[in-house]
Amino acid sequence: MRQTIDVALPKGRLGEKVLAIFEESGYPCPEIHRESRRLIFENADAGIRYFWVKPSDVAIYVERGAADVGVAGKDILLEYVPAVYELLDLGMGRCRMAVAGPKGFRDNLERTLRVATKFPRIARDYYARESREIDIIKLNGSIELAPLLGLSDVIVDIVETGTTLRENNLEPLETVAPISARLIANKASYQFKTEEIRALAEAMAASLERKKENTP
């Protein structure tokens, strides 16, 4: 008997695109499209149960076993390093984690580099690989403001189009890591629902490949 897979979906536009891939892969759930205050949506025939969560919480639900699988950004996985399996790069929400600073910035290696970021672990790991001494300044918003006001020398943040940087006379200096949405699985669930989770991942990979082939 096929076991039901519990899926943590990230709320927002990315989550809607992710849901479409799940449904195109053979895991539809008509209930989730109806106006409702329900939090959990199930299609027993398809062996799937969905629920929406804040994007930054997906990895927690999966790691703790409240969900068997979920979709989380690579930035979240790099920053929090949850104990989960990364099964598939969905190729959605593509952007990059980058070091950015004032135009023409040159790093003075004789002093500690001040780095403002929402992602202290990612920044620390990156500069550790570079053997660069840094001072992390953890911020939660308006990261671009830090170098403009002299709070930091550079920032480490997600860069999509680079428009915000340009409008504030900043520019990307170095790429830290490519970022996109990833299908992740709880380690225990993967052991006990191996067949179901593998089938899901393979169906999603095939669906993504078809979309790629049909894209002009």
Side-chain angles (χ1 to χ4, degrees):
M1 181 177 178
R2 182 169 63 173
Q3 300 182 81
T4 297
I5 302 174
D6 289 309
V7 182
L9 294 171
K11 292 180 179 178
R13 286 184 300 172
L14 176 61
E16 296 290 346
K17 292 179 181 178
V18 167
L19 174 62
I21 292 297
F22 274 95
E23 295 196 309
E24 289 165 9
S25 302
Y27 298 86
C29 185
E31 286 185 356
I32 203 169
H33 298 286
R34 296 174 188 149
E35 286 292 332
S36 170
R37 291 183 179 272
R38 292 178 60 183
L39 301 175
I40 299 173
F41 307 89
E42 182 175 5
N43 181 347
D45 292 336
I48 203 81
R49 184 183 296 119
Y50 296 110
F51 54 92
W52 298 104
V53 300
K54 187 176 179 180
S56 58
D57 289 341
V58 170
I60 298 173
Y61 278 87
V62 174
E63 181 181 36
R64 298 280 181 156
D68 299 313
V69 301
V71 175
K74 185 63 175 179
D75 53 319
I76 299 297
L77 303 180
L78 290 172
E79 181 63 25
Y80 299 106
V81 196
V84 298
Y85 291 132
E86 187 176 318
L87 304 181
L88 183 65
D89 182 350
L90 301 182
M92 297 178 170
R94 285 197 183 280
C95 53
R96 58 178 169 145
M97 186 70 64
V99 178
K103 290 184 177 179
F105 173 80
R106 293 293 179 269
D107 188 5
N108 181 355
L109 299 178
E110 295 182 359
R111 66 180 182 82
T112 300
L113 184 68
R114 298 171 301 158
V115 181
T117 185
K118 300 175 185 176
F119 306 95
R121 181 193 289 269
I122 293 175
R124 194 173 292 113
D125 289 349
Y126 174 73
Y127 281 107
R129 294 194 297 271
E130 300 290 313
S131 300
R132 184 66 171 97
E133 185 179 346
I134 63 170
D135 174 20
I136 292 283
I137 302 165
K138 174 72 165 67
L139 296 177
N140 296 306
S142 301
I143 301 294
E144 295 84 4
L145 195 59
L148 300 180
L149 297 181
L151 178 63
S152 73
D153 300 306
V154 296
I155 64 175
V156 170
D157 200 12
I158 292 175
V159 175
E160 295 182 35
T161 63
T163 301
T164 303
L165 293 177
R166 289 192 296 272
E167 290 180 351
N168 288 284
N169 205 34
L170 302 173
E171 63 182 1
L173 303 173
E174 304 160 41
T175 295
V176 176
I179 302 297
S180 58
R182 311 296 170 98
L183 178 68
I184 59 175
N186 174 269
K187 290 187 172 182
S189 295
Y190 194 78
Q191 286 185 329
F192 292 107
K193 300 182 181 181
T194 305
E195 184 178 340
E196 290 83 358
I197 293 176
R198 279 184 179 172
L200 169 65
E202 289 170 3
M204 292 182 72
S207 180
L208 290 168
E209 188 61 32
R210 286 194 298 272
K211 290 178 82 73
K212 189 185 301 182
E213 292 173 353
N214 294 330
T215 300

